[in-house]
Amino acid sequence: MRALGLAGILCSVAVLGTCISLGGTTGLAAGAAAAACFLLSARALAPGEAPGESAAGERRFLASVVGWAFFLRLAASIVLHATGTWSWFGGDEETFDLNGRVFAGWVDGQFAIPLSPRFLGSFEVGYFYLVGSMYSAYGLSKGIPLLVNALLGAALVLPVHALAGRFAGRAAARRAALLAAFFPSLVLWSSLMVRDVLALFCLASVLLVADRLRRSLSPANLLALVALLAALASLRTYIFLIVGVALAGGIVLGQRSAGRALLTGALLMFGLIFAVRTLGIGQSELERANLETLAQHRHYNALGPSVAGSLGSEDISTPTAALTYLPVGMAYFLLSPLPWQIGSPRQILSLPDLVLWYSILPAVGAGLVWLLRRRFRAVLPLLFTVVGITVLYSLVEGNIGIIFRHRAQIIVPLCAVAGAGTAIRARARARRNAREAPRGWESPRLETAGPLDPAPGRALGAPAGVRLPAGPA
């Protein structure tokens, strides 16, 4: 784990140094945001709280999982780009490549504007600047951005592992880490030169730092949350708005002290209002946040390529129509592509992801029920975030291909919930087997101490006396 932390620091310093060498304040700000995101997350994720052999064992486990996750993504990226099949998954990589080249040319004085005119007024330019900075420093090759995406995809294991450990102990953390490392769609999006993996990394890190802030209202935690939200805003502004509101509500309701709840909520809401009203971040999205605009967006969304599978243009322009369609839209968002919607070879590629996704849904349900009963305050920020993202996409998405891509934004946090659910079910089976075992048979230990379990059965940061089903690691 220390080696991984060092690698993250070196990567961040390299990105920041590259942007500094470029000059331009815009590129510097984007690079600094990316570097701060990586550094703050690495600081927040280091599982070094518990000394002893168990901490060393957990570091070895994480090093192994992250290493295999990185090489899997790197191999997938090489295959996709050597065969040209990367183009099957949409044209976003071409968009980022083109704007990266424009930004690199602007830095070198070849162009008068840093991006193509379509994106000049947008706040979602962080990944353009990041790619352009790397192009200017290392040449017009996709190799470095793809390598960074593979690294970020592997590093995504760390916040998911830590978040699940805080929820339900070491066994849950390990199961969640394996899901995040080898979930097919997460591997895919981190093997392409798209912004999704950076957005997912920021989202998972935001939820982890928010849990720290809920437990301890400190300047360091608040600064880390602000930096990560700023990075998220430069990637997907509407997700920044959803997550900001969800965290404000979840952290306030998750506080035991009324005074600290009011203070935390006031700080978060003031920051969100300041970002929208003064900096203009997300202002256009809020101005267009009405059912008529969502209905128009969904109509254009449904006009996507037929190979991706259109869901038709449903009318959601009135409250009644939106509420009527919402359950149907949620079913599509959570379960598409359904078996009868799979026809083309490209859609068949989604089968491994669907099989795994369907198989963990019972564990997600079990984990969510257990967390709401035992860790109600802790799970609220994650729950509000997942619900907000799900409702938005359920109303807006009209294309199966886009649903498959955007569903990763709830898969990542739900990996932590599924880790808790599988650990709880494993513990229940072990106890049941122990009861059914003949006399004289010694059952295996059901609880073990580890880096995320400072005491047997107690999760990191859990109140004294609270016993958790850590399960066999």
Side-chain angles (χ1 to χ4, degrees):
M1 186 62 194
R2 290 177 182 174
L4 293 174
L6 179 59
I9 292 172
L10 292 176
C11 176
S12 303
V13 171
V15 173
L16 184 57
T18 299
C19 294
I20 292 174
S21 67
L22 295 177
T25 57
T26 308
L28 175 60
C37 170
F38 211 103
L39 284 171
L40 289 170
S41 298
R43 174 190 176 277
L45 305 178
E49 288 85 349
E53 179 60 28
S54 56
E58 200 67 14
R59 285 194 292 268
R60 287 193 296 270
F61 168 80
L62 277 175
S64 174
V65 172
V66 172
W68 280 109
F70 171 71
F71 285 115
L72 175 62
R73 285 155 173 78
L74 190 60
S77 182
I78 292 172
V79 171
L80 288 171
H81 290 84
T83 60
T85 50
W86 62 267
S87 59
W88 289 8
F89 304 100
D92 275 8
E93 183 167 318
E94 292 180 346
T95 302
F96 290 117
D97 178 52
L98 172 62
N99 282 275
R101 291 171 180 268
V102 173
F103 182 80
W106 174 75
V107 170
D108 296 336
Q110 300 175 10
F111 301 120
I113 54 177
L115 298 173
S116 59
R118 173 187 172 189
F119 298 100
L120 285 179
S122 173
F123 280 95
E124 298 181 349
V125 294
Y127 195 67
F128 293 139
Y129 292 154
L130 189 61
V131 172
S133 299
M134 288 185 280
Y135 277 1
S136 181
Y138 304 110
L140 300 179
S141 170
K142 293 182 180 180
I144 298 298
L146 289 171
L147 187 66
V148 170
N149 273 12
L151 178 62
L152 285 171
L156 181 62
V157 170
L158 301 176
V160 173
H161 172 273
L163 192 62
R166 286 176 171 272
F167 284 160
R170 185 175 60 181
R174 290 191 169 195
R175 288 168 168 82
L178 292 172
L179 283 174
F182 303 114
F183 216 100
S185 58
L186 300 185
V187 173
L188 173 63
W189 304 129
S190 52
S191 302
L192 302 172
M193 200 179 74
V194 293
R195 63 185 171 183
D196 295 60
V197 62
L198 184 54
L200 295 175
F201 181 80
C202 289
L203 176 61
S205 300
V206 160
L207 292 174
L208 177 60
V209 175
D211 184 72
R212 288 195 168 213
L213 185 64
R214 182 188 66 83
R215 298 168 184 267
S216 173
L217 180 58
S218 68
N221 290 333
L222 192 60
L223 178 61
L225 186 62
V226 170
L228 288 166
L229 286 174
L232 188 59
S234 74
L235 299 167
R236 293 192 183 276
T237 306
Y238 59 94
I239 296 299
F240 157 76
L241 295 172
I242 292 175
V243 172
V245 174
L247 292 185
I251 292 176
V252 168
L253 294 177
Q255 296 284 357
R256 296 183 180 274
S257 167
R260 194 165 67 175
L262 292 175
L263 178 59
T264 307
L267 288 174
L268 290 175
M269 289 309 299
F270 173 78
L272 193 60
I273 293 172
F274 177 81
V276 174
R277 302 291 297 180
T278 304
L279 303 179
I281 301 175
Q283 191 166 5
S284 60
E285 281 78 3
L286 289 176
E287 290 173 353
R288 295 183 286 110
N290 54 72
L291 291 176
E292 289 80 7
T293 303
L294 292 180
Q296 186 181 36
H297 186 87
R298 190 185 189 285
H299 172 72
Y300 292 139
N301 198 315
L303 296 178
S306 59
V307 70
S310 172
L311 298 179
S313 182
E314 297 287 341
D315 178 26
I316 59 168
S317 59
T318 65
T320 301
L323 289 174
T324 302
Y325 176 73
L326 183 58
V328 178
M330 291 181 69
Y332 279 131
F333 179 67
L334 295 174
L335 302 175
S336 289
L338 298 168
W340 56 86
Q341 295 173 322
I342 298 176
S344 69
R346 302 184 193 184
Q347 293 173 345
I348 292 175
L349 293 176
S350 67
L351 279 177
D353 193 84
L354 282 177
V355 170
L356 180 57
W357 173 239
Y358 289 168
S359 69
I360 69 168
L361 283 178
V364 170
L368 190 58
V369 169
W370 186 88
L371 289 170
L372 287 173
R373 291 176 57 190
R374 303 288 185 90
R375 293 290 177 271
F376 180 76
R377 298 177 186 272
V379 79
L380 283 180
L382 182 149
L383 180 61
F384 287 174
T385 298
V386 169
V387 170
I389 293 174
T390 300
V391 170
L392 173 66
Y393 284 141
S394 297
L395 291 175
V396 172
E397 306 291 53
N399 185 287
I400 294 175
I402 300 177
I403 284 176
F404 178 75
R405 178 174 178 177
H406 287 168
R407 189 163 58 216
Q409 295 172 21
I410 67 167
I411 287 178
V412 168
L414 289 181
C415 280
V417 178
T422 55
I424 291 161
R425 293 167 70 183
R427 173 179 178 267
R429 284 195 301 270
R431 284 188 169 177
R432 185 166 55 251
N433 293 337
R435 286 196 301 267
E436 295 172 355
R439 287 189 177 182
W441 180 79
E442 184 179 352
S443 63
R445 292 180 62 186
L446 300 180
E447 295 177 340
T448 58
L452 297 175
D453 296 310
R458 180 182 168 200
L460 183 63
V466 176
R467 309 288 291 181
L468 292 185

